[in-house]
Amino acid sequence: MKKLMFCFIFSSSLGATPASDHCDMIKNTAEIKQAYLVHNKNNFIVVSKGRLYFKSAPSERCALKNLFLIPGDQVIGYTEYNGFISAAYFKQNGESVDGWLDEKWLKNTGL
């Protein structure tokens, strides 16, 4: 009975993991399992219907507030994992914004 109670408490606590812990765990996993994109096919254009938010890790739960792209913006992709692309957007002043983007809202330009 004690083992059953422990398993229930342990599995219940997994569902209550704060988003930041979840994002850290997913980010660490992605760093190990991500696949690098081919350099001649790593340019993308945003094709979302509205704002496409950067994520701190490849998960919808890890959206970064106030860091987003709009349709037509272009990014350079570096790696992919679990339906997300690790990418960089370069501002006009040369600074880059890096994060994970949902792959379904990116179209490869073929360049």
Side-chain angles (χ1 to χ4, degrees):
M1 181 67 177
K2 287 183 181 181
K3 285 184 182 182
L4 180 61
M5 183 61 102
F6 172 76
C7 290
F8 175 74
I9 291 171
F10 180 73
S11 65
S12 295
S13 67
L14 289 178
T17 303
S20 63
D21 291 345
H22 166 79
C23 296
D24 288 343
M25 184 177 66
I26 296 294
K27 185 176 181 179
N28 290 338
T29 301
E31 286 179 10
I32 296 167
K33 296 183 177 184
Q34 64 192 345
Y36 287 91
L37 298 174
V38 178
H39 291 295
N40 63 350
K41 295 185 180 180
N42 67 343
N43 291 305
F44 297 89
I45 189 167
V46 175
V47 295
S48 62
K49 302 289 184 201
R51 294 176 176 179
L52 176 60
Y53 284 88
F54 277 96
K55 317 289 190 287
S56 62
S59 170
E60 287 299 325
R61 291 176 52 188
C62 303
L64 298 169
K65 295 179 181 179
N66 300 320
L67 278 179
F68 60 87
L69 301 171
I70 58 172
D73 283 343
Q74 294 187 14
V75 297
I76 296 175
Y78 300 112
T79 62
E80 62 183 335
Y81 177 73
N82 202 29
F84 288 84
I85 302 270
S86 172
Y89 171 78
F90 292 91
K91 299 178 183 181
Q92 289 181 347
N93 66 6
E95 291 181 28
S96 69
V97 178
D98 303 303
W100 292 90
L101 298 168
D102 191 329
E103 186 175 18
K104 70 182 174 194
W105 300 116
L106 299 173
K107 179 182 176 187
N108 191 305
T109 64
L111 300 174

